[in-house]
Amino acid sequence: MDAILVTGGAGFIGANFVLDWLAPSNPDACPLVNLDALTYAGNLASLDPVAGDERHRFVHGDINDRALVSRLLREHRVRAIVNFAAESHVDRSILGPDAFVQTNIVGTFNLIEAAREWYTTLDATERAAFRFIQVSTDEVFGALGPSDPPFSETTPYSPRSPYSASKAAADHLVQAAFHTYGLPAIITHCSNNYGPLQFPEKLVPLMIRNARRGERLPVYGDGRQVRDWLHVSDHASALRAVLARGRPGETYNIGGSAERENLSVVNMLCSLLDERSPRADGASYAAQIAYVTDRPGHDRRYAIDQRKIAAELGWTPAVAFEQGLRDTVDWYLENDAWITGIETGAYRQWLDTNYRSGERAR
Ligand code: NAD
Ligand code: DAU
């Protein structure tokens, strides 16, 4: 069998995974078929570094297109699927959940069905090697109180936003395919990623973008919500470990052991920007912080217990949060054109919808 199929590989984490897979440090990597619908979050510019690499085949298409997915599995003799394709932003899921149901639930179901069909055509050796990796989220577990233990693989599901509910539904379908049909599937639950190529609707790139453009830095509610931050390169390396050594039917939690309050992250970003790209008036970017109306149903805290993946697969994160955030700020400063390229009418409309009209405008 010849290739892996990555879905959503023009998005933030998918593109980082693709670049990592095809990196010069990985010369023996098998070819990679990258299926992406290029929604607002997909960006071909992120894949520029592998434009001439014949091991990378980009296909513009939807995971809901069963005939297309089946053809790709057959033609490329796919030995593993890594499903990143999703609607991924919680705020968008609150304002418009339909697309989340369509891609995250129905799209994943479609991939499972195509994978099942392909799997039945494989011989015993090929079946033993085949994997379906569902890239899920820690948000399916709900929200933690300040002194609750971190999410483990046995924490019950308790999704609280349309986004996390759609990811939870997809996880259940993947588990069902493993238990009912024997599809060798594995689910990963990762915490908040940060790093290069992240769409500037998410906290870290949005704050860097707004700071540099002299706009306010919108902190939801009291800013005391806690997220567990992981550099995206560590997520890529964790997924490689899961692909190589993960056990079918298992789930693995992936986190950075870097719990931080949002306000602390925003203040760190301001300090880094003050140091690297000071404001013309000499004031700190922190002066641009503005408390805005909270996200409805805002989960207070996420944290990951990653002892299982460390013990079973030997994976631990390599990038410390402070260094990773510093590198991330540098990347966005050096790649402002990447952000400018995203600032189309659709992006401005999102900023208007989420921040400049209604409750958050105040
Ligand atoms: P993203 O929004 O940056 O990218 C999603 C990609 O999927 C885009 O390229 C988009 O064009 C593509 N896509 C959307 N609908 C599609 C469809 N129907 N068919 C084909 N392609 C489609 O998302 P991300 O932040 O890179 O997240 C990737 C995955 O990782 C998601 O499944 C998400 O739930 C999960 N995840 C994200 C984080 C995080 O912190 N960002 C953490 C844990 C898990
Ligand atoms: O935990 C994993 C999840 O992390 C992934 O499954 C999601 O795909 C990913 O988007 C992320 O979800 P969050 O909702 O935690 O990420 P976001 O960057 O949107 O927000 C991080 C925190 O910052 C959250 O508490 C909300 C807050 N926030 C966010 C934005 C965009 C603000 O205070 N202001 C903002 O403008």
Side-chain angles (χ1 to χ4, degrees), residues 10 27 44 89 110 118 186 188 200-201 231 233 275 295 344:
L44 278 180
H89 190 33
N110 190 55
W118 169 236
I186 299 174
T188 59
E201 63 186 354
H231 194 271
S233 61
E275 183 188 312
R295 174 185 281 174
T344 61

Side-chain angles (χ1 to χ4, degrees), residues 55-324:
R55 293 170 304 164
H56 181 232
R57 163 88 192 280
F58 182 80
V59 179
H60 182 195
D62 196 312
I63 58 169
N64 278 298
D65 184 341
R66 174 89 58 91
L68 173 63
V69 174
S70 293
R71 181 168 62 74
L72 293 174
L73 294 175
R74 265 194 326 271
E75 278 184 9
H76 296 275
R77 298 203 51 77
V78 165
R79 67 172 175 83
I81 299 173
V82 188
N83 182 26
F84 294 98
E87 292 291 333
S88 68
H89 190 33
V90 174
D91 294 316
R92 287 186 191 256
S93 82
I94 294 166
L95 291 170
D98 305 49
F100 290 72
V101 171
Q102 199 53 42
T103 286
N104 300 1
I105 305 177
V106 183
T108 301
F109 175 69
N110 190 55
L111 273 185
I112 292 168
E113 290 299 281
R116 283 209 303 122
E117 186 187 48
W118 169 236
Y119 185 69
T120 59
T121 68
L122 305 180
D123 66 28
T125 314
E126 292 167 335
R127 283 185 181 203
F130 189 81
R131 294 290 180 272
F132 184 107
I133 311 292
Q134 173 69 2
V135 182
S136 186
T137 169
D138 60 357
E139 298 200 12
V140 298
F141 299 124
L144 294 167
S147 50
D148 288 339
F151 300 131
S152 77
E153 287 76 3
T154 56
T155 302
Y157 277 38
S158 180
R160 294 156 39 102
S161 73
Y163 163 69
S164 53
S166 68
K167 294 294 289 187
D171 289 0
H172 291 315
L173 290 167
V174 173
Q175 288 288 15
F178 169 75
H179 289 291
T180 307
Y181 306 111
L183 185 74
I186 299 174
I187 298 171
T188 59
H189 296 121
C190 190
S191 63
N192 283 62
N193 285 216
Y194 69 99
L197 306 174
Q198 187 167 30
F199 193 82
E201 63 186 354
K202 307 283 166 59
L203 183 74
V204 168
L206 180 91
M207 293 296 166
I208 298 172
R209 176 209 174 267
N210 284 14
R212 301 212 63 226
R213 282 155 180 72
E215 298 178 20
R216 64 183 187 157
L217 309 181
V219 171
Y220 294 169
D222 63 4
R224 305 290 302 274
Q225 301 81 8
V226 174
R227 297 293 182 264
D228 174 1
W229 294 94
L230 180 77
H231 194 271
V232 65
S233 61
D234 278 325
H235 194 179
S237 71
L239 290 170
R240 291 174 68 103
V242 168
L243 250 183
R245 301 186 292 283
R247 287 186 293 138
E250 294 294 320
T251 65
Y252 296 94
N253 286 4
I254 303 168
S257 296
E259 286 186 57
R260 299 286 186 282
E261 288 186 348
N262 292 339
L263 199 52
S264 153
V265 174
V266 174
N267 276 312
M268 284 174 72
L269 289 168
C270 290
S271 301
L272 287 164
L273 287 166
D274 289 343
E275 183 188 312
R276 283 160 144 68
S277 178
R279 270 175 40 154
D281 65 0
S284 169
Y285 287 102
Q288 291 166 228
I289 291 175
Y291 292 91
V292 301
T293 307
D294 208 352
R295 174 185 281 174
H298 199 168
D299 290 340
R300 197 68 183 167
R301 173 177 166 240
Y302 305 139
I304 287 277
D305 177 344
Q306 54 183 315
R307 281 176 294 181
K308 178 175 174 181
I309 189 168
E312 274 194 25
L313 307 186
W315 176 88
T316 50
V319 183
F321 183 62
E322 283 66 24
Q323 185 60 48

